[in-house]
Amino acid sequence: MRITRYQDLIAWQLARNLERRVFAFTDKPHVARDFDFCRQIRKSSSSAPRNMSEGFGRFWPGEFAHKLHIAIGELEETQDHLEKALEQKYIDDDEQLEMFDLADRAIGAAVKFVEYLDAAGPDWKKEFLARRRDKFRQQRAKRAAAKCQPTEGTPDPEWNSRPERASRSQEREEPRTRTPEPEPEPEPEPEPEPEREPEPER
């Protein structure tokens, strides 16, 4: 089963159930009078699930395993307080066995998970970091490729390289200039008539 949140941890579920049972019986008037005992067993039973959830949030296997080790110690302390509760007749044998069994099962689940984290932790961390580096490089390559794409025209980089598209884009970019019409040639001036010589007198 894939674990995506700390509530999916079997050890956390068992430890949380134990915490509820501890708070329930310490609320009874004849138990609540023993203030020091109630404070200690409530603190140890609450600390176990808190450390498990904190370890899950720390993400790295080594830190998670460290927090699980602390939770296991808190569960062991809670079992010792349950022994005292039975001796002081705060709970009966059935209640003590049920809560002691919850603590035992939570400890067993936490120990198995610690063994898994200790075995797979170093390799898992290396693989995770390698995957994250590869993902970062791919994102950086995509950003670099996006910057190289033409800003005008269509997103297709080959669009502007086609000859018919290029000629049309040049026509749009270059303003059309009208060729001036040739000026009409001036009409030739009429030649003057030759002067006539006077006729001789008769």
Side-chain angles (χ1 to χ4, degrees):
M1 184 182 72
R2 185 176 181 182
I3 298 174
T4 58
R5 54 181 192 158
Y6 68 86
Q7 291 92 337
D8 297 331
L9 296 170
I10 301 299
W12 181 89
Q13 295 171 7
L14 294 168
R16 191 73 176 83
N17 194 7
L18 174 63
E19 180 189 9
R20 295 190 189 100
R21 294 289 299 272
V22 166
F23 273 70
F25 89 82
T26 52
D27 273 339
K28 296 177 180 179
H30 70 287
V31 183
R33 284 193 293 267
D34 192 345
F35 177 78
D36 191 51
F37 167 77
C38 292
R39 180 182 61 82
Q40 290 180 2
I41 192 171
R42 284 186 171 192
K43 182 179 178 181
S44 62
S45 64
S46 298
S47 179
R50 301 298 94 75
N51 275 283
M52 292 178 188
S53 58
E54 182 182 352
F56 184 87
R58 289 181 178 271
F59 187 72
W60 297 118
E63 296 184 12
F64 194 1
H66 173 67
K67 286 295 180 179
L68 285 175
H69 279 296
I70 296 175
I72 292 169
E74 298 293 344
L75 291 168
E76 295 276 2
E77 181 183 346
T78 303
Q79 285 182 325
D80 183 64
H81 291 311
L82 290 172
E83 294 285 355
K84 180 181 178 180
L86 183 62
E87 293 172 0
Q88 298 293 327
K89 300 188 184 304
Y90 295 153
I91 53 177
D92 56 26
D93 289 340
D94 291 338
E95 290 177 317
Q96 196 264 356
L97 286 174
E98 289 174 1
M99 286 186 280
F100 205 92
D101 182 62
L102 281 173
D104 257 344
R105 291 163 59 195
I107 290 171
V111 167
K112 289 181 180 179
F113 202 45
V114 167
E115 292 174 351
Y116 164 75
L117 293 172
D118 288 340
D123 293 337
W124 182 90
K125 185 174 182 179
K126 290 179 182 177
E127 292 175 0
F128 173 80
L129 291 174
R131 289 196 301 269
R132 190 165 67 173
R133 282 194 296 268
D134 291 341
K135 185 178 180 180
F136 175 75
R137 288 174 184 148
Q138 291 174 2
Q139 292 175 348
R140 188 170 59 182
K142 288 181 180 179
R143 289 195 296 267
K147 290 180 180 179
C148 295
Q149 288 183 354
T151 55
E152 297 181 358
T154 64
D156 185 5
E158 297 182 357
W159 190 87
N160 290 323
S161 63
R162 298 174 186 170
E164 64 273 12
R165 304 294 185 189
S167 61
R168 291 180 184 177
S169 61
Q170 289 175 359
E171 289 178 2
R172 287 195 299 269
E173 292 175 0
E174 296 178 0
R176 295 181 178 180
T177 56
R178 297 180 60 183
T179 55
E181 296 181 359
E183 296 181 0
E185 295 181 359
E187 295 182 1
E189 296 181 359
E191 296 181 359
E193 293 183 0
E195 295 181 0
R196 292 180 181 180
E197 294 179 359
E199 293 181 0
E201 294 180 0
R202 293 180 182 179

